[in-house]
Amino acid sequence: MVPVRPGPFVSDCGVFPMEWTSYLAPLSQGAWVTVQLTVYSTILGALCAFVFGLGKLSHNPLVKGISVAYIEIFRGTSLLVQLFWIYFALPIMGQAIGLDLRFPPVVAGVVALALNIGAYGAEVVRGAVQAVPKEQYEAATALNFTGRKRLWRITLPQAIPEMMPTFGNLAVQNLKDTALVSLISLGDMAFRAEQIRNFTQDSVTVYTLVLFMYFGMALVLTACMKLLERYVGRWRAAGR
Amino acid sequence: MNDATDNRGPIIKFDKVVKRFGDHVVLDELDFEVQRGEKVTIIGPSGSGKSTVLRILMTLEEINGGVVYVGGEPLWHQRKGESLEPAGEQHLRQMRSHLGMVFQQFNLFPHMTVLRNLTEAPVQVLGVSKAEAKQRGMELLEMVGLTDQATKYPHQLSGGQQQRVGIARALAMRPKIMLFDEPTSALDPELVGEVLNVIRTLADEHDLTMLLVTHEMHFARQVSDRICFFDKGRIKEQGKPEEIFTAPKEERTKAFLKAVLDPDD
């Protein structure tokens, strides 16, 4: 008989429920991975959003075409499939053309999340830039700004505060989506929860805990985004 | 070489300029000249193409035919040997540097303080040092009577104050030609005077060419060297203010002036 090696979640009497506080240590480890995934993929996603959102407004047909294709593909397919494609399919395709496209799970996870959220963010960037009044564009032209400076100095500073509420939603969406990366064996919070449940069968406690932990993270994230929103739009509140 | 320093000939010349919006002809082979230092007011019914003239000069509106000259140089074209080609962005940027524009809706940059509105373009476009731009900005604010508002944002100012900043912002680029596109039309009546006073001060500057579109007929009469009455995309009548306002020749001019000067009759 193979002896059962007692894991951290297995009590002396087998798979029966333990004190719920003993779940907190492994869950916190997972939470830290979730936080890192969220922060990295949100920042990278914001970068994608700006690059491709502005790209979609470009007069260059190639730049515009690439941006539109990216946005439509990543908005039009499932995040789970994108994740599996990057993690499982890409290395095999890379092998066929002689490239090493094997990524560690954390890289594949961050990239998939960022590309996905970036596609939604790109539409937000495009919309906010287009919503800046035409008169601002004309005033900048009359003052002889170059196209690039008009964008950086006049248009974007007015467009970014408009993007922030939706960016806040997308960031929270992204936090919740990180749970999917547990499926490529990344040890995030959802992965840890699944592990504990497998050992203890204590679904109610584990998933209730995880629910509250995700909710707590979402609250903190929302607060951070609100602060950022206030910062980039501080001129709007002046004297009010 | 740019000819804007060339002192011969008109500083602005429209040569059979056509502008269409779809099927609607806004400017119908317009011929129009402004001399250096001249203060010209364009009046006329709405839709007669008054603002379009200014917007074409500020390169905000392309033309569909003819040639516009500023300082002897074609504005919307580049010389290529003997022929004229549509202008590229570089040419347009060079030509724009001679012009400044004041907008009906002020169009200040809402995310910048008043002083920053005045310094941003000189620093970013002309390459003036920040210290120098600030000093010049404060001088301009003094001229328009708003030194105490320098650190405020546009939304904290009244319409009249905003438009005075708008004028100062255009002047900060040291244009040779100032275009005023209905500068008081969006203002409450009690705020019109403060803006007109600033424009009146500018009208005393000999070197500055001014082109003004307005409905303030009494003001136009005081500050203009010449009044142009526009109707259906052409100049129907033009002349010294006294001639136009007291003895217009054209029936159309008479009818328009009667309508705007004695609206109750």
Side-chain angles (χ1 to χ4, degrees):
Chain A
M1 217 180 97
V2 183
V4 178
R5 203 178 54 169
F9 318 115
V10 185
S11 61
D12 294 338
C13 41
V15 293
F16 289 113
M18 313 163 42
E19 274 296 299
W20 66 272
T21 47
S22 63
Y23 304 158
L24 288 180
L27 281 182
S28 311
Q29 280 176 10
W32 178 233
V33 174
T34 296
V35 167
Q36 285 175 305
L37 280 171
T38 306
V39 170
Y40 295 148
S41 62
T42 302
I43 291 170
L44 192 62
L47 198 68
C48 290
F50 276 97
V51 168
F52 294 104
L54 294 175
K56 192 170 172 180
L57 295 170
S58 168
H59 295 297
N60 182 327
L62 183 68
V63 174
K64 186 176 175 150
I66 291 172
S67 304
V68 171
Y70 158 73
I71 292 169
E72 294 308 323
I73 288 170
F74 279 87
R75 284 198 312 169
T77 55
S78 143
L79 171 58
L80 188 64
V81 178
Q82 290 162 18
L83 184 69
F84 284 175
W85 194 84
I86 289 171
Y87 189 62
F88 297 118
L90 206 56
I92 298 169
M93 287 170 62
Q95 215 172 18
I97 56 170
L99 283 174
D100 185 9
L101 295 178
R102 288 172 300 172
F103 299 114
V106 67
V107 173
V110 166
V111 167
L113 287 165
L115 287 174
N116 186 264
I117 214 75
Y120 287 95
E123 282 296 290
V124 178
V125 169
R126 181 197 57 77
V129 166
Q130 284 183 322
V132 173
K134 178 175 79 50
E135 287 75 16
Q136 290 291 311
Y137 178 92
E138 292 184 344
T141 303
L143 290 167
N144 223 350
F145 281 87
T146 59
R148 184 165 300 187
K149 284 191 172 164
R150 191 170 53 207
L151 177 68
W152 287 103
R153 301 262 161 195
I154 309 299
T155 311
L156 279 180
Q158 295 180 55
I160 288 173
E162 293 297 324
M163 303 171 194
M164 289 313 294
T166 321
F167 270 6
N169 286 342
L170 285 177
V172 172
Q173 178 73 51
N174 200 29
L175 163 69
K176 295 181 292 185
D177 284 348
T178 57
L180 285 177
V181 302
S182 62
L183 295 170
I184 57 170
S185 73
L186 250 169
D188 77 321
M189 204 154 70
F191 184 82
R192 296 288 178 206
E194 183 64 17
Q195 265 188 335
I196 299 171
R197 195 190 66 94
N198 279 341
F199 278 111
T200 65
Q201 304 297 316
D202 187 7
S203 301
V204 174
T205 314
V206 172
Y207 284 123
T208 307
L209 268 179
V210 169
L211 214 60
F212 278 110
M213 286 173 81
Y214 271 116
F215 184 59
M217 286 182 184
L219 282 182
V220 173
L221 187 57
T222 305
C224 290
M225 294 304 281
K226 277 266 178 264
L227 283 178
L228 191 61
E229 180 180 339
R230 206 169 296 168
Y231 175 74
V232 295
R234 61 197 179 283
W235 49 272
R236 298 203 285 198
R240 281 184 184 151
Chain B
M1 261 305 279
N2 195 291
D3 280 338
T5 48
D6 176 0
N7 284 320
R8 294 156 296 165
I11 193 162
I12 297 170
K13 183 169 191 251
F14 278 59
D15 185 7
K16 300 215 175 334
V17 171
V18 177
K19 175 65 188 174
R20 284 183 297 263
F21 290 118
D23 290 338
H24 179 58
V25 179
V26 184
L27 297 183
D28 182 11
E29 300 201 348
L30 175 71
D31 288 319
F32 175 56
E33 283 186 7
V34 178
Q35 304 304 318
R36 276 155 221 281
E38 201 179 8
K39 320 292 186 255
V40 177
T41 300
I42 301 175
I43 60 171
S46 63
S48 59
K50 309 179 300 270
S51 290
T52 308
V53 168
L54 302 194
R55 291 175 56 80
I56 285 173
L57 282 166
M58 199 62 257
T59 72
L60 301 176
E61 218 68 82
E62 285 186 45
I63 56 176
N64 302 113
V67 185
V68 178
Y69 296 92
V70 171
E73 276 291 302
L75 174 68
W76 278 104
H77 300 81
Q78 274 168 295
R79 291 183 202 277
K80 178 121 186 194
E82 287 300 295
S83 62
L84 292 177
E85 290 191 339
E89 179 60 20
Q90 204 177 357
H91 176 78
L92 289 176
R93 288 201 69 223
Q94 195 186 356
M95 296 305 289
R96 268 183 217 129
S97 66
H98 305 303
L99 298 137
M101 184 154 177
V102 174
F103 297 88
Q104 182 177 350
Q105 300 291 343
F106 333 132
N107 300 4
L108 298 182
F109 301 131
H111 58 298
M112 296 179 185
T113 62
V114 165
L115 185 58
R116 187 83 187 276
N117 262 280
L118 305 192
T119 60
E120 188 71 1
V123 170
Q124 295 296 330
V125 177
L126 301 179
V128 173
S129 76
K130 278 188 184 163
E132 199 182 326
K134 272 190 182 169
Q135 196 191 337
R136 166 86 173 145
M138 288 309 291
E139 285 169 17
L140 286 165
L141 283 183
E142 196 176 342
M143 192 201 93
V144 299
L146 291 172
T147 38
D148 50 340
Q149 310 290 332
T151 57
K152 291 203 176 154
Y153 284 89
H155 70 253
Q156 296 173 280
L157 270 53
S158 73
Q161 291 173 323
Q162 287 191 48
Q163 191 57 297
R164 281 143 71 194
V165 175
I167 295 169
R169 183 178 68 171
L171 289 172
M173 298 297 280
R174 301 182 186 275
K176 295 186 176 63
I177 305 164
M178 279 286 279
L179 310 169
F180 294 88
D181 187 8
E182 305 200 23
T184 57
S185 297
L187 297 175
D188 291 336
E190 77 270 21
L191 302 176
V192 168
E194 59 189 69
V195 172
L196 293 184
N197 282 337
V198 170
I199 301 176
R200 195 175 280 123
T201 318
L202 287 179
D204 292 336
E205 291 195 22
H206 289 290
D207 295 340
L208 190 68
T209 306
M210 272 173 43
L211 200 48
L212 175 72
V213 171
T214 187
H215 296 293
E216 300 289 334
M217 295 301 157
H218 295 289
F219 178 73
R221 188 171 180 168
Q222 290 164 11
V223 301
S224 312
D225 299 317
R226 178 157 56 106
I227 306 283
C228 293
F229 175 68
F230 266 60
D231 190 40
K232 299 196 176 83
R234 288 186 174 208
I235 297 175
K236 192 83 174 172
E237 184 170 2
Q238 58 179 323
K240 291 194 179 308
E242 308 86 75
E243 295 168 16
I244 299 290
F245 285 112
T246 53
K249 293 186 188 70
E250 299 283 337
E251 283 306 317
R252 191 71 191 84
T253 319
K254 283 179 198 167
F256 173 77
L257 287 174
K258 184 161 166 39
V260 294
L261 294 175
D262 317 296
D264 299 331
D265 284 4

